[in-house]
Amino acid sequence: MYWGSRLGVVLAVAGSAVGLGNFLRFPGQAAQNGGGAFMIPYFIALLLVGIPLAWAEWSMGRYAGTNGFHSAPGIFASLCKSKWASFMGMMALLIPLMIYTYYIIIEAWCLGYAWHYLSGNLNLGKDADAYGEFFKTFTGQNGNGTAVDMGQTSVLIFVVLTFVINFVLIRRGINKGIETFCKFAMPLMIFCAICVLIRVLTLGTPDPDLPGQSVAGGLNFMWNPEWEALARPQTWLAAAGQIFFSLSVGFGVIINYASYVRKKEDIALSGLTATATNEFFEVCLGGLITLPAAFIFLGTAAGGFGTFGLGFVALPNVFSAMPYGQLFGFLWYFMLFLAAITSSLSMLQPVIAFFEEGLGVSRTTAALVLGGVSAIGSAFVFYYSANLSALDNIDFWVGTFLIVVLATVQSVIYGWVFGTKRGEEELSRGALIQVPRGVFFILKYLTPIFLLIILGMTIYDSGPGYIDNIQNDDVARRSVYLILAVAALLLVAIGYAILRWSKQGKFDWPDN
Ligand code: PFF
């Protein structure tokens, strides 16, 4: 099974990368960590780990794919030439699966907001508090189990709808599902985002009494460098974390997608194009829309909203104050929904591929089983909605901590087991651009060191707080149990897959 075209795989990987991280997470992170100054650690992380690791994932994935493996356990076994390495692949299944359980809920909020804009329910006038209340009630933050409180317009309907759309698309497979959808969704996203961007950049100074709250003021607020931030380790951590999250590197997604690329086709330029596309969406669209718009209408108060507050409370306030706000509100949330769905599909695919190839079941069965498991996880996140605590805990353990662990493991395997020589060969085969040799040096030495430092800092910085949480907070503890239970299930499944693959002779490595 292969991608239909080079454009198709680039759009699929870019679709995975461009998501809520670009439009909601990035502006918040940049604003809190030094504004324009944030871009320095951000670009260093992009050059030192983002692009090199993305290339490493493309190379390892394609290599293993041509050896007949598409799922992380098989890919790791094939790279290390050891069947036991399959167990390491567990992380590359657990991460996308667990992230899916909460990402899909946020995706459903976007769909819900798009619908409520279209139907006029979000025309709440210029009452700043009303939007905060709407968001809290809609997402069930006032208490566990309250996310169904809105009855007919409850978020549950959108969660179910989002789930169904994801599984219908993923069951259709790589070409007919993911590739076809991304080819249509990516251009549409650019169109919607540019409409909103033009609207924001032409707002001028809407309130003559507040001349500072203009487009220029908004851009200045977002991008004005606060150099002191560079001295804080937190800034560097945030920048590296943002690069991983945004590029979908360290999630087990790119190795899977790349395994469906033909042996002689380019991956070097494809990888770079997907990365560049993500950066365009993140810096040029995400960075110019969300926060500047919020500042124009809300002034410096815009900086006080968290990631979700910015997207779901500050922006509705902005739309309420601008001409044609209802239309632009709809376009914005619909665009976010599209961005999210092309990402959530990429979280399902690695696990489906493993069920198909490791357990020998059909794609439909694989989709149904995965649907069941992920529904349990999402129900957990949906129920424990007070202060979004389940979401927050799973995001920390999986989306912040485990991804750095996996990225570290991958970079060590690439640099020291698979080897940069083979890596370079793989990346160069069919390449349409020449990758500078320095990249392989970076990958062998600098990337693992950089990652180990980030890992150590993450543990030092947030570890104690979260361990404390586990001891004192039931939801935090249950979140960890849930993650461990899914990990255990995956390990058992991998054990079974190893037995199957051994019998089939899939571990009789050809000498290449
Ligand atoms: N890169 C996506 C974003 O920026 O929103 C998030 C993401 C995609 C996370 C795929 C995990 C994943 F497997």
Side-chain angles (χ1 to χ4, degrees):
M1 191 184 355
Y2 295 107
W3 295 102
S5 66
R6 227 166 63 73
L7 178 69
V9 60
V10 171
L11 287 181
V13 175
S16 168
V18 177
L20 300 169
N22 300 53
F23 295 102
L24 301 182
R25 203 172 184 275
F26 172 75
Q29 293 284 334
Q32 281 160 24
N33 294 290
F38 181 73
M39 297 319 281
I40 293 178
Y42 178 86
F43 277 113
I44 291 181
L46 177 67
L47 293 176
L48 225 53
V49 289
I51 297 177
L53 260 186
W55 268 331
E57 286 202 24
W58 278 83
S59 314
M60 295 194 289
R62 206 257 302 264
Y63 171 87
T66 38
N67 283 338
F69 283 109
H70 300 281
S71 63
I75 293 176
F76 280 105
S78 154
L79 293 169
C80 302
K81 299 266 184 283
S82 150
K83 61 179 171 188
W84 303 115
S86 302
F87 284 114
M88 266 190 303
M90 184 277 283
M91 262 190 299
L93 300 176
L94 179 68
I95 293 175
L97 172 53
M98 289 312 299
I99 292 187
Y100 178 84
T101 61
Y102 67 84
Y103 200 87
I104 190 90
I105 305 261
I106 311 168
E107 190 171 315
W109 298 348
C110 299
L111 183 62
Y113 266 55
W115 165 254
H116 285 308
Y117 264 105
L118 208 57
S119 59
N121 295 342
L122 262 164
N123 280 345
L124 304 175
K126 288 191 184 163
D127 174 359
D129 295 338
Y131 296 97
E133 268 320 303
F134 184 96
F135 179 56
K136 276 195 161 168
T137 320
F138 188 61
T139 55
Q141 290 181 60
N142 296 322
N144 289 336
T146 62
V148 287
D149 277 1
M150 288 172 76
Q152 287 289 307
T153 51
S154 132
V155 69
L156 184 60
I157 294 162
F158 300 101
V159 172
V160 172
L161 204 60
T162 310
F163 235 84
V164 172
I165 299 175
N166 268 279
F167 276 93
V168 167
L169 287 172
I170 202 70
R171 200 197 66 83
R172 294 171 62 88
I174 288 276
N175 298 127
K176 288 203 201 119
I178 301 176
E179 189 170 350
T180 308
F181 185 73
C182 287
K183 273 184 167 165
F184 139 86
M186 294 299 284
L188 189 56
M189 259 156 69
I190 298 205
F191 172 76
C192 295
I194 288 186
C195 287
V196 180
L197 179 66
I198 292 177
R199 173 68 283 195
V200 169
L201 294 183
T202 51
L203 282 170
T205 311
D207 187 344
D209 293 339
L210 299 169
Q213 286 177 219
S214 60
V215 172
L219 294 175
N220 182 46
F221 178 69
M222 166 96 198
W223 294 108
N224 188 31
E226 183 211 323
W227 299 112
E228 308 81 74
L230 295 183
R232 293 195 290 267
Q234 177 54 35
T235 307
W236 293 79
L237 262 186
Q242 179 58 26
I243 285 292
F244 284 130
F245 194 87
S246 183
L247 289 178
S248 301
V249 158
F251 290 101
V253 168
I254 299 181
I255 41 173
N256 169 264
Y257 273 18
S259 74
Y260 304 107
V261 177
R262 285 191 171 78
K263 188 169 183 168
K264 300 219 167 82
E265 226 165 81
D266 162 88
I267 49 174
L269 181 60
S270 300
L272 196 60
T273 313
T275 308
T277 309
N278 183 64
E279 291 315 301
F280 169 73
F281 270 95
E282 181 143 302
V283 181
C284 303
L285 300 175
L288 292 184
I289 296 177
T290 321
L291 212 62
F295 177 84
I296 295 172
F297 290 97
L298 308 174
T300 46
F305 291 88
T307 298
F308 292 139
L310 197 58
F312 294 97
V313 181
L315 282 186
N317 269 298
V318 170
F319 292 127
S320 76
M322 68 167 60
Y324 302 106
Q326 187 179 349
L327 171 67
F328 285 100
F330 165 73
L331 281 177
W332 171 253
Y333 290 104
F334 183 63
M335 190 275 304
L336 281 186
F337 173 69
L338 289 178
I341 198 165
T342 53
S343 298
S344 59
L345 286 174
S346 78
M347 301 172 200
L348 294 174
Q349 171 57 28
V351 195
I352 295 246
F354 169 67
F355 286 173
E356 285 183 287
E357 142 179 323
L359 312 181
V361 298
S362 72
R363 190 147 181 112
T364 306
T365 312
L368 285 174
V369 174
L370 180 57
V373 176
S374 57
I376 295 174
S378 292
F380 178 88
V381 177
F382 185 82
Y383 179 76
Y384 288 113
S385 56
N387 303 318
L388 304 178
S389 73
L391 190 157
D392 183 52
N393 276 290
I394 299 179
D395 180 50
F396 171 75
W397 287 110
V398 182
T400 309
F401 176 66
L402 267 188
I403 59 168
V404 187
V405 177
L406 178 60
T408 313
V409 168
Q410 280 183 350
S411 82
V412 171
I413 290 185
Y414 179 88
W416 299 89
V417 182
F418 182 57
T420 45
K421 194 167 156 287
R422 267 200 287 177
E424 187 174 353
E425 245 169 59
E426 188 64 45
L427 189 58
S428 323
R429 191 165 346 97
L432 296 174
I433 50 166
Q434 166 103 39
V435 173
R437 308 260 352 227
V439 167
F440 303 99
F441 174 83
I442 294 181
L443 267 169
K444 184 159 184 166
Y445 300 101
L446 298 188
T447 313
I449 295 175
F450 186 91
L451 286 168
L452 283 172
I453 296 175
I454 295 289
L455 190 59
M457 276 166 56
T458 309
I459 295 173
Y460 178 79
D461 190 67
S462 320
Y466 275 88
I467 301 277
D468 210 47
N469 270 355
I470 295 180
Q471 281 159 351
N472 300 318
D473 172 355
D474 282 345
V475 180
R477 195 167 42 247
R478 285 176 198 154
S479 305
V480 174
Y481 287 156
L482 179 72
I483 298 169
L484 291 176
V486 176
L489 270 179
L490 288 171
L491 285 176
V492 173
I494 293 173
Y496 173 78
I498 294 178
L499 290 178
R500 256 189 92 240
W501 287 333
S502 298
K503 269 208 204 116
Q504 293 171 349
K506 283 193 90 171
F507 293 130
D508 304 337
W509 312 113
D511 284 328
N512 64 352

